[in-house]
Amino acid sequence: MKYLPTRILWLLFLPLGLLAQGTPASTLRTLNEAIAQAPRYDAVKRQRIQALQTTLARTPAAALQERFAVCGQLYDEYKVFNYDSAYRYARTLQTLAAQLQDPARVTFARIKLSFILLSSGMFKETYDSLSLVHIDDAPDSLRAEYYTLLARYYYDLADFDNDTYHTPGYTRLANRYVDSALQLYDAKSFQYAYFNGLKYIRSGNMDSALTSFQQIINNPMLSTHQYAVTASTLSDIYIQRGQVDTAISLLIEAAIADIKTSTKETAALFNLATLLYKKDDVKHAAAYIEQAIRDAMFYGARQRKVQMSAILPLIESEKVNRVESQQQMLFIYSAIVTFLLLVVVWLAVVIFRQFNKLKHAQRLITESATHQREINAKLEEANRIKEEYIGYFFNVNSVFFNKMERFKKSLDQKVNDRKLEEIRFLVNNINLKQEKEDLLRDFDKVFLKLFPNFVQDYNGLFEPADQVKLKDQELLNTDLRIFALIRMGIHDNEKIAQILEYSVNTINTYKTRIKNRSKVPNEAFEHHIMEIKAE
């Protein structure tokens, strides 16, 4: 559905007196309900497209005529729905027509490509494409479509230039192409009636145009899309005649019909927003212009975006002006009220602010208390760990010093008695490996006393097949000790390596291998370890 850009000017500068009457809320509500249902209509459209695409995928590559027919259907589905997809299938039609070496199909494909280029506002590309069409030997239906497309092209150029020099010439040329098309269309067809009425509009014969389009819109055989096109065009006539409420009702019906047919290349909603803006219904105007912009963006209509940029800033500016006007009225009213009311309002504001401050302070206190409880819990846990391990290491050191003292006394005695063989036996009898194992086992006991659920919580981070299975009499293994030390707050790999008597590379290898097996992301593994609670 093409929108004539010159309409923007006389829609925007239409006398306000013509727009005095209100728009029935029920009709706008019906349109709003249709807009809300648009995704459902679009879903039905996509289902049809998906079915055709499936048919095309199943059609053998050698079946050129069948593929051409399906691509033509896909083009028809997309031509007012999405420019990019319609353009792609128009190009595919050209390729298939060339392979079929069928001049009629070549012309058909070229006309379809030209239509979609013009719908997107690409005038130069449309002219280049139309100049390649050879229409002499084409069927009447293609010739008629070609002439109406040329008429649309020159009408759009006339609207785009909108001057006193080029526009009349373009309009005359377009009218001649309409005359050529009318000679080929069936006089009872929709195309004949529509383009005949359009010629009346362009020639300035509004009475004949009105009669023509009223006859068309009363035809019960119109498709939903044809009704939308007719209603939108008829609304232009009523606007020029000053019957704006009738035009608005027609545009609402056209917009609803466009929504039901998933037509995104449309001007009805945009024109409706423009008229509602002039009627000071900024709320609905803003909503409809935003929907029109979304449709234009989805379709890819370049000229639509330019047209909408002319009205959208005005609507947004009017919204701002209304807010400012309301603020001024509030200021005037506040100057009229009595002193007592001002005092009451002032007290209410003060109480409200104090209440908000109190709520804010209460929230801060609650957050601080929660944070403090967390800190206290962590400090309590740290103190328990510290107390346990200070006692543990004092006990270990005490036992170690007692052993060393006994060893020193025995060694001194042996040295004094010069019993070298017994000294060698005494030294060789020191089992450092066993001492280290005893030290680690004592560490395991103290750690599990603090974190009795550590092994269970640790295994919870792995799938059953990757969980740690300890041997008999084994409290912790190397994997568990590495992360036990981390839970104790020792995160430095070098310190962990010194405690466990491994190299730093070995510790890194252990940690990487363990994290890779876990269910949680590697970077979050140690965080989960630190979340294991002490008891």
Side-chain angles (χ1 to χ4, degrees):
M1 188 189 306
K2 292 300 289 182
Y3 173 80
L4 305 180
T6 50
R7 295 176 197 162
I8 297 175
L9 297 177
W10 52 263
L11 280 174
L12 292 179
F13 297 103
L14 198 65
L16 287 174
L18 299 178
L19 300 169
Q21 299 180 8
T23 304
S26 59
T27 58
L28 292 177
R29 185 165 55 251
T30 302
L31 174 57
N32 294 337
E33 291 171 356
I35 291 174
Q37 292 295 318
R40 182 170 64 86
Y41 295 119
D42 291 349
V44 174
K45 177 84 162 179
R46 290 189 174 92
Q47 288 176 357
R48 291 199 303 271
I49 290 172
Q50 181 61 47
L52 288 171
Q53 289 174 335
T54 301
T55 301
L56 181 63
R58 293 174 178 173
T59 304
L64 298 179
Q65 293 185 3
E66 290 80 356
R67 293 182 68 84
F68 188 91
V70 177
C71 286
Q73 291 176 285
L74 282 165
Y75 169 85
D76 287 337
E77 290 289 346
Y78 275 121
K79 68 180 181 181
V80 291
F81 184 61
N82 182 267
Y83 165 78
D84 288 336
S85 297
Y87 181 82
R88 184 172 69 253
Y89 283 109
R91 297 286 295 181
T92 303
L93 286 172
Q94 284 189 306
T95 301
L96 293 171
Q99 292 174 349
L100 286 166
Q101 297 181 354
D102 184 341
R105 284 191 172 91
V106 171
T107 300
F108 174 88
R110 176 63 64 181
I111 290 174
K112 298 303 180 185
L113 180 64
S114 301
F115 175 90
I116 201 65
L117 290 171
L118 183 58
S119 296
S120 186
M122 303 173 69
F123 294 116
K124 180 183 181 303
E125 291 78 2
T126 302
Y127 179 82
D128 292 341
S129 180
L130 288 173
S131 65
L132 299 175
V133 176
H134 301 289
I135 205 68
D136 295 337
D137 298 326
D140 286 350
S141 59
L142 283 182
R143 293 172 62 202
E145 187 174 354
Y146 171 74
Y147 291 136
T148 54
L149 186 58
L150 276 170
R152 277 188 53 192
Y153 172 75
Y154 283 109
Y155 281 146
D156 285 355
L157 278 181
D159 293 332
F160 182 80
D161 286 356
N162 191 29
D163 63 359
T164 58
Y165 182 76
H166 296 93
T167 295
Y170 286 142
T171 301
R172 286 192 298 270
L173 186 57
N175 286 339
R176 286 201 295 271
Y177 280 117
V178 169
D179 289 336
S180 299
L182 294 178
Q183 294 177 12
L184 299 170
Y185 280 127
D186 183 347
K188 296 181 180 180
S189 68
F190 168 79
Q191 289 81 3
Y192 183 94
Y194 181 84
F195 284 102
N196 189 47
L198 186 61
K199 181 185 174 184
Y200 285 138
I201 294 177
R202 290 295 184 160
S203 300
N205 189 349
M206 289 301 170
D207 292 335
S208 298
L210 179 61
T211 301
S212 178
F213 277 102
Q214 284 177 335
Q215 291 175 351
I216 296 173
I217 204 166
N218 290 325
N219 183 357
M221 301 305 293
L222 289 183
S223 69
T224 305
H225 181 65
Q226 288 172 343
Y227 182 87
V229 174
T230 305
S232 182
T233 308
L234 183 56
S235 71
D236 298 333
I237 300 173
Y238 280 112
I239 291 173
Q240 295 187 52
R241 294 169 67 92
Q243 297 174 266
V244 179
D245 284 332
T246 303
I248 288 177
S249 297
L250 285 167
L251 285 172
I252 291 173
E253 293 180 12
I256 293 172
D258 283 333
I259 292 169
K260 290 182 177 180
T261 56
S262 294
T263 299
K264 307 300 182 182
E265 206 294 285
T266 174
L269 206 56
F270 168 65
N271 292 345
L272 175 62
T274 305
L275 291 180
L276 291 176
Y277 163 71
K278 292 296 295 182
K279 292 188 70 171
D280 289 336
D281 188 352
V282 178
K283 176 183 176 182
H284 285 103
Y288 297 153
I289 197 69
E290 289 172 2
Q291 180 64 37
I293 289 173
R294 285 194 291 271
D295 288 344
M297 294 292 291
F298 180 86
Y299 179 79
R302 293 157 178 81
Q303 84 281 16
R304 292 279 183 263
K305 301 173 190 176
V306 175
Q307 293 162 5
M308 292 171 191
S309 66
I311 184 66
L312 183 59
L314 296 177
I315 293 176
E316 294 300 323
S317 176
E318 182 63 24
K319 290 168 66 176
V320 173
N321 291 337
R322 285 175 176 269
V323 172
E324 292 176 350
S325 297
Q326 291 173 357
Q327 290 176 341
Q328 292 175 358
M329 291 300 296
L330 288 174
F331 177 76
I332 294 172
Y333 291 149
S334 66
I336 299 174
V337 295
T338 63
F339 176 76
L340 180 59
L341 181 59
L342 287 174
V343 172
V344 172
V345 171
W346 178 76
L347 289 175
V349 170
V350 170
I351 292 172
F352 180 74
R353 288 179 177 175
Q354 293 298 325
F355 179 70
N356 281 342
K357 289 181 180 179
L358 182 61
K359 285 179 63 178
H360 181 68
Q362 185 178 7
R363 185 168 62 252
L364 290 177
I365 292 171
T366 302
E367 292 174 355
S368 298
T370 302
H371 184 61
Q372 188 61 47
R373 283 196 296 271
E374 293 175 354
I375 293 174
N376 291 341
K378 290 181 179 179
L379 288 174
E380 183 179 354
E381 180 183 90
N383 286 334
R384 287 183 56 205
I385 293 173
K386 180 180 68 176
E387 291 172 0
E388 288 288 340
Y389 274 92
I390 287 175
Y392 160 68
F393 280 109
F394 268 114
N395 181 61
V396 168
N397 287 338
S398 176
V399 172
F400 177 75
F401 282 122
N402 288 336
K403 285 184 178 180
M404 291 299 297
E405 186 176 1
R406 290 196 301 272
F407 179 76
K408 181 177 178 301
K409 287 181 180 180
S410 176
L411 193 60
D412 287 343
Q413 184 64 40
K414 301 297 182 184
V415 170
N416 291 334
D417 295 341
R418 299 183 180 277
K419 297 180 179 180
L420 297 179
E421 289 299 325
E422 292 183 13
I423 292 172
R424 183 179 293 110
F425 175 78
L426 191 62
V427 172
N428 290 337
N429 198 40
I430 298 173
N431 190 344
L432 294 177
K433 181 179 180 182
Q434 185 61 44
E435 293 290 337
K436 182 64 176 181
E437 290 177 355
D438 291 343
L439 179 65
L440 292 175
R441 188 169 184 82
D442 288 340
F443 168 80
D444 296 346
K445 290 179 180 178
V446 176
F447 180 80
L448 292 176
K449 180 179 178 183
L450 288 168
F451 299 91
N453 297 321
F454 181 79
V455 176
Q456 177 182 347
D457 292 344
Y458 176 91
N459 277 335
L461 302 176
F462 299 85
E463 299 293 346
D466 295 320
Q467 293 179 357
V468 171
K469 296 178 177 58
L470 295 171
K471 300 176 183 178
D472 291 341
Q473 305 303 318
E474 188 178 31
L475 300 178
L476 298 176
N477 61 12
T478 302
D479 291 2
L480 292 168
R481 286 193 188 106
I482 290 173
F483 287 97
L485 290 169
I486 289 174
R487 181 61 186 87
M488 294 294 297
I490 303 173
H491 296 276
D492 186 8
N493 288 343
E494 188 173 348
K495 290 183 180 179
I496 296 174
Q498 291 175 353
I499 293 171
L500 299 181
E501 293 186 347
Y502 288 113
S503 69
V504 174
N505 287 338
T506 301
I507 296 300
N508 283 329
T509 301
Y510 266 98
K511 290 173 68 176
T512 300
R513 176 175 52 82
I514 292 168
K515 291 178 180 180
N516 287 340
R517 293 203 318 266
S518 71
K519 297 187 294 185
V520 300
N522 288 11
E523 61 274 10
F525 186 83
E526 292 190 18
H527 173 75
H528 285 281
I529 292 295
M530 297 303 294
E531 289 295 316
I532 296 176
K533 302 296 183 182
E535 294 186 4

